Amino acid sequence: MRLLIVGPQGAGKGTQAELLCQKLGIPHVSTGDLFRANISAGTELGQRAQTYMRAGQLVPDSVTEDMVADRLCQDDAAHGYLLDGFPRTLAQAQWLNELLTTRGETLDKVVLITAPDEVLMGRMLGRGRADDTPEAIATRLELYRSETEPLVEFYGDLVVEIDGVGDVHDIHDRVMNRIGAAEGSATNTPEAGTR
Ligand code: AMP
């Protein structure tokens, strides 16, 4: 299955992404995680990304897109993946469509996790990540509203909206049901056979 998960920071997107990937046996392709791994490893890519990340700004498309294209060429992404944190803008979504066309692939679903602003803020402040300064949080939230939310319209019927408030496992069950991958679901059978 090829999925994209979208949602504002603090909606629980990362947690749901992990649970989905474990359940479906697909790699979690998170651009934020890939950047952070590059920063920890001291790579040139990490150095280029770091300044933008600290400010809560987007890393330039050329850097991000090359990294995504490389990641999707790895063997574990041959039969499915979950994209998390990419695309984040309409331009990136258009670039992804072209990449998918050359790969002969389409996305099966776009999972949108939502939560009210006060829930989002509370969760982020409790997270304690290095780039979670109040300024960076505010910038990322604004960027989400202006740059990422338009993806919901772009992906149209592919989008399934999930309420991200509540118990983590209940939310996971909601996601599985809505993407047609819940246990016993007929749509799960052909995909399961390909892995
Ligand atoms: P995240 O872990 O998804 O919150 O991403 C952390 C940071 O990585 C973001 O604030 C951006 O600086 C950078 N980043 C992640 N994904 C992208 C993307 N698709 N385009 C540009 N920058 C990104």
Side-chain angles (χ1 to χ4, degrees):
M1 215 177 211
R2 282 177 289 271
L3 301 171
L4 161 63
I5 191 162
V6 188
Q9 45 175 355
K13 179 171 65 75
T15 307
Q16 292 304 323
E18 289 291 347
L19 291 173
L20 263 179
C21 287
Q22 276 166 24
K23 188 61 88 59
L24 298 172
I26 52 177
H28 180 195
V29 178
S30 154
T31 41
D33 286 352
L34 289 169
F35 282 132
R36 282 184 287 275
N38 273 278
I39 291 171
S40 300
T43 67
E44 198 189 318
L45 179 103
Q47 279 164 21
R48 289 177 72 185
Q50 198 165 26
T51 336
Y52 299 97
M53 289 180 73
R54 282 213 179 121
Q57 292 168 358
L58 294 182
V59 177
D61 283 352
S62 55
V63 178
T64 311
E65 288 165 359
D66 283 355
M67 182 177 76
V68 170
D70 281 356
R71 179 64 189 88
L72 294 183
C73 282
Q74 289 173 25
D75 289 349
D76 64 347
H79 300 295
Y81 42 81
L82 179 137
L83 290 169
D84 173 7
F86 185 93
R88 242 177 168 89
T89 63
L90 282 176
Q92 290 181 356
Q94 268 142 7
W95 175 89
L96 178 67
N97 266 1
E98 284 169 32
L99 179 79
L100 293 182
T101 304
T102 62
R103 289 169 61 98
E105 296 175 349
T106 51
L107 292 177
D108 295 300
K109 290 279 183 234
V110 174
V111 178
L112 169 68
I113 313 267
T114 58
D117 276 1
E118 56 275 19
V119 174
L120 302 177
M121 271 304 199
R123 284 184 184 167
M124 264 172 311
L125 290 168
R127 188 166 77 163
R129 218 171 66 185
D131 58 346
D132 278 346
T133 61
E135 295 76 19
I137 290 174
T139 306
R140 287 201 302 263
L141 208 49
E142 267 167 45
L143 266 176
Y144 177 79
R145 301 286 179 222
S146 62
E147 302 291 327
T148 309
E149 231 161 38
L151 295 183
V152 174
E153 199 177 324
F154 181 84
Y155 284 113
D157 291 345
L158 283 184
V159 177
V160 294
E161 182 171 347
I162 311 284
D163 179 1
V165 180
D167 175 78
V168 166
H169 292 96
D170 290 345
I171 298 167
H172 172 64
D173 290 344
R174 276 178 227 156
V175 176
M176 292 295 281
N177 279 316
R178 293 288 303 282
I179 64 174
E183 250 119 356
S185 158
T187 52
N188 195 31
T189 315
E191 273 290 318
T194 62
R195 279 192 292 276

